[in-house]
DNA sequence: GTCTATATTCCGATAGAC
DNA sequence: GTCTATCGGAATATAGAC
């Protein structure tokens, strides 16, 4: 796969996370790369094909991470920690996440992008749910609501945590991150 | 104040919550009102003056709600409930909230809008914090983290809850709403 | 296959009509 | 004071050069 294409995907993702899907243009990408905006159209005919590709790349990256963690026999606690580290990194870079960013613009996206976004969120929620459930059975986590609801709760905190931190103060995110652990860490381990 | 101006403010807010700040144009507003887009510029010279006015209107609405609840001697539980009802209504209307929507676009906003957004979030967080603190002292709420962190936690759940519900399924929001109460309701009241 | 010159549409905004 | 005709520029996208 061409290096130009890779670079466009990378820049496009970064722009979605910093300026929002409707807040950036092909010009932003082409200027950063020293080419004309139409060159971007060669690789991604429409903005929506670019958006869809970015989403698919992210789902793939997520699946690779999950597979990798299973191969290394990460326990549920470390799997959750690894997932949260993605958000800690985004916070350091003053970015929000794809879900929060594209969630705002969802009514302006075409069907393929919307479907891909739904698939991504679905996949993450069900993975979180399964991690929480088996982790709870092992005594690694403790919570009283359903694993599904707890998954939604954690994901919400992470998504909006990044948004709030960017509005208020970058450092607020570590409080949110901390609170998530407080919430699901068993009493005897506190 | 002119009724046209009021209507523009109303439509503008609705568009921010449904299509995002960078996802709507003055054309969207003027078409819905049966006027030319330039007529909107008469009331709000730039899109940013409109955005700033929408934010200020919202802060004012919030202050009025708080004042009203204090006048009626709402206890902390009912105050929090009233606040959450705003989000339940937004969910029914398939909208997200101003914080989540403008949080995505923050890097594309001008200073006045950014400042106003910060002020709004600041105000809501500190109000939530104070409600949680005094409610806890009365035994209406129970939580182990700081009131500030608990406020961030609740606000995050509400903000991203709306976003997730719109992506996945409208009805998921009631689970998130329920989980928030589960988290802070005293044991003896469950 | 890769990219540029160019077209088209739409956006935010101004000058001026009523 | 209220709104319309119109502009300059930016956005997405196509046709065609290398």
């Amino acid at each position: 796969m061409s290096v130009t294409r890779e670079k466009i995907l990378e820049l496009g993702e970064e722009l979605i996370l910093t300026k929002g899907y409707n807040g950036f243009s092909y010009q932003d990408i082409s200027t950063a790369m020293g080419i004309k905006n139409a060159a971007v159209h060669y690789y991604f005919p429409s903005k929506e094909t670019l958006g869809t590709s970015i989403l698919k790349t992210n789902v793939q990256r997520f699946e690779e991470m999950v597979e990798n963690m299973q191969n290394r026999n990460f326990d549920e606690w470390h799997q959750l920690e690894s997932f949260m580290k993605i958000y800690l990194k985004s916070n350091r870079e003053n970015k929000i996440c794809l879900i929060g960013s594209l969630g705002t613009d969802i009514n302006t996206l075409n069907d393929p992008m919307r479907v891909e976004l739904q698939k991504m969120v679905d996949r993450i929620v069900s993975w979180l749910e399964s991690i929480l459930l088996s982790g709870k059975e092992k005594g690694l986590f403790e919570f009283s609501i359903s694993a599904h609801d707890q998954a939604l709760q954690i994901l919400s905190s992470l998504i909006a945590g990044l948004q709030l931190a960017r509005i208020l103060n970058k450092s607020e995110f570590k409080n949110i991150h901390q609170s998530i652990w407080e919430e699901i860490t068993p009493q005897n381990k506190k």
Side-chain angles (χ1 to χ4, degrees), chain A:
Chain A
M1 206 205 275
S2 117
V3 64
T4 308
R5 190 189 144 94
E6 293 282 354
K7 185 71 184 164
I8 293 171
L9 278 171
E10 196 183 307
L11 277 170
E13 179 172 337
E14 167 146 358
L15 284 163
I16 292 177
L17 305 183
T18 51
K19 303 179 73 177
Y21 183 76
N22 289 318
F24 84 93
S25 72
Y26 270 27
Q27 209 78 23
D28 293 326
I29 294 176
S30 60
T31 306
M33 295 179 66
I35 53 178
K36 301 289 165 185
N37 83 80
V40 182
H41 280 280
Y42 166 66
Y43 296 95
F44 302 97
S46 71
K47 200 178 177 182
E48 280 135 342
T49 56
L50 172 59
T52 309
S53 293
I54 290 170
L55 279 165
K56 285 188 174 166
T57 304
N58 263 268
V59 172
Q60 201 184 331
R61 200 186 300 158
F62 176 77
E63 298 296 357
E64 280 164 11
M65 183 191 73
V66 169
E67 200 182 350
N68 188 265
M69 291 191 294
Q70 282 166 351
N71 289 343
R72 294 187 186 196
N73 288 314
F74 274 31
D75 67 21
E76 287 77 3
W77 193 94
H78 286 97
Q79 289 198 46
L80 183 58
E81 192 196 25
S82 300
F83 179 70
M84 301 229 274
K85 271 188 180 159
I86 302 171
Y87 280 80
L88 284 167
K89 181 159 182 277
S90 299
N91 179 55
R92 282 195 302 275
E93 295 171 350
N94 263 301
K95 294 177 187 166
I96 59 172
C97 73
L98 268 185
I99 304 174
S101 183
L102 295 176
T104 293
D105 298 321
I106 193 160
N107 290 326
T108 68
L109 307 178
N110 68 350
D111 278 350
M113 270 195 82
R114 217 182 343 245
V115 168
E116 211 56 44
L117 177 60
Q118 280 162 350
K119 270 163 62 180
M120 185 176 79
V121 177
D122 238 353
R123 182 68 186 93
I124 291 173
V125 171
S126 63
W127 172 79
L128 258 179
E129 193 178 332
S130 71
I131 288 293
L132 286 167
L133 199 59
S134 61
K136 187 183 183 182
E137 283 165 3
K138 289 189 193 169
L140 294 172
F141 305 137
E142 199 172 282
F143 50 87
S144 53
I145 56 181
S146 73
H148 178 73
D149 289 352
Q150 188 63 54
L152 288 178
Q153 203 71 10
I154 290 174
L155 190 57
S156 294
S157 296
L158 292 171
I159 295 170
L162 288 182
Q163 296 176 322
L164 284 176
R166 205 166 62 172
I167 295 172
L168 291 176
N169 183 340
K170 212 168 167 174
S171 67
E172 290 281 21
F173 188 75
K174 68 175 197 304
N175 297 43
I176 288 168
H177 172 257
Q178 178 64 23
S179 301
I180 293 174
W181 281 120
E182 296 274 353
E183 206 177 307
I184 59 169
T185 300
Q187 288 299 322
N188 59 24
K189 296 208 177 173
K190 279 187 187 166

